[in-house]
């Protein structure tokens, strides 16, 4: 029995596509304007968040989301999906942190450009291009230990 598949030429281009969110971390008890990077044929979109304690609202400008994290929220990951009447994006994570979140600023490729960071913070950064390096300064007293944990998207 023959089978036919009909594809509309413009339908794939009109789909919501969420690549990632930047900055990818928000502190508990804070509200933050983040950038959803991807393709959004119509704005505003609707937003699904797997955590009922996190409020995500599309802002006026395309690709901008206002995220509110209440003071009593647990740290961890919230998964977001953007959708419209025709399509839905893949899920994208946003990290909910108890510690203050600082977003890196460029330039910071060389030690002379490294920003002095405080202690007990989360740094939200990104490698912009091949060969990009991000440098940061920390100040330690004698007998203090530096602990660094990296969460990265491949």
């Amino acid at each position: 029995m023959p089978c036919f598949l009909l594809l509309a030429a413009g339908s794939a281009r009109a789909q919501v596509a969420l690549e990632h969110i930047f900055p990818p971390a928000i502190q508990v008890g804070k509200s933050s304007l983040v950038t959803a990077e991807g393709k959004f044929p119509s704005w505003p979109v609707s937003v699904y968040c797997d955590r009922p304690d996190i409020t995500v609202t599309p802002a006026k400008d395309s690709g901008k989301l206002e995220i509110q994290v209440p003071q009593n929220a647990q740290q961890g990951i919230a998964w977001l999906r953007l959708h419209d009447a025709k399509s839905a994006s893949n899920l994208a994570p946003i990290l909910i942190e108890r510690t203050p979140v600082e977003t890196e600023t460029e330039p910071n490729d060389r030690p002379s450009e490294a920003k002095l960071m405080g202690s007990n913070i989360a740094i939200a950064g990104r490698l912009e291009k091949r060969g990009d390096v991000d440098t940061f300064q920390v100040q330690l007293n004698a007998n203090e230990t530096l602990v660094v944990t990296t969460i990265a998207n491949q």
Side-chain angles (χ1 to χ4, degrees):
M1 181 169 170
C3 180
F4 296 96
L5 176 63
L6 177 63
L7 297 175
S11 64
R13 284 178 274 157
Q15 292 183 344
V16 173
L18 175 59
E19 295 170 11
H20 50 267
I21 297 168
F22 192 83
I26 298 176
Q27 183 181 356
V28 167
K30 300 289 182 178
S31 178
S32 184
L33 186 67
V34 301
T35 300
E37 297 178 353
K39 294 181 182 178
F40 314 106
S42 61
W43 193 267
V45 293
S46 296
V47 181
Y48 162 80
C49 180
D50 74 331
R51 292 185 45 174
D53 57 335
I54 310 293
T55 303
V56 183
T57 308
K60 180 182 174 186
D61 295 333
S62 181
K64 301 294 182 183
L65 300 171
E66 181 72 32
I67 301 181
Q68 297 174 341
V69 181
Q71 192 65 40
N72 63 346
Q74 296 296 312
Q75 77 178 39
I77 295 176
W79 291 95
L80 305 181
R81 181 185 312 272
L82 306 184
H83 59 95
D84 61 17
K86 297 178 182 177
S87 63
S89 72
N90 289 328
L91 290 167
I94 186 125
L95 186 62
I96 309 302
E97 273 288 335
R98 281 238 159 277
T99 58
V101 177
E102 176 114 13
T103 303
E104 70 150 331
T105 54
E106 295 286 349
N108 64 348
D109 294 340
R110 295 188 288 278
S112 62
E113 299 168 331
K115 180 179 177 185
L116 181 61
M117 306 307 277
S119 61
N120 198 27
I121 63 166
I123 301 172
R126 74 166 102 199
L127 299 175
E128 295 282 346
K129 61 191 177 304
R130 188 181 238 358
D132 190 10
V133 174
D134 291 335
T135 58
F136 305 96
Q137 286 186 48
V138 293
Q139 186 171 0
L140 299 175
N141 295 319
N143 298 319
E144 285 185 314
T145 302
L146 175 66
V147 177
V148 178
T149 302
T150 303
I151 298 173
N153 184 11
Q154 295 183 0

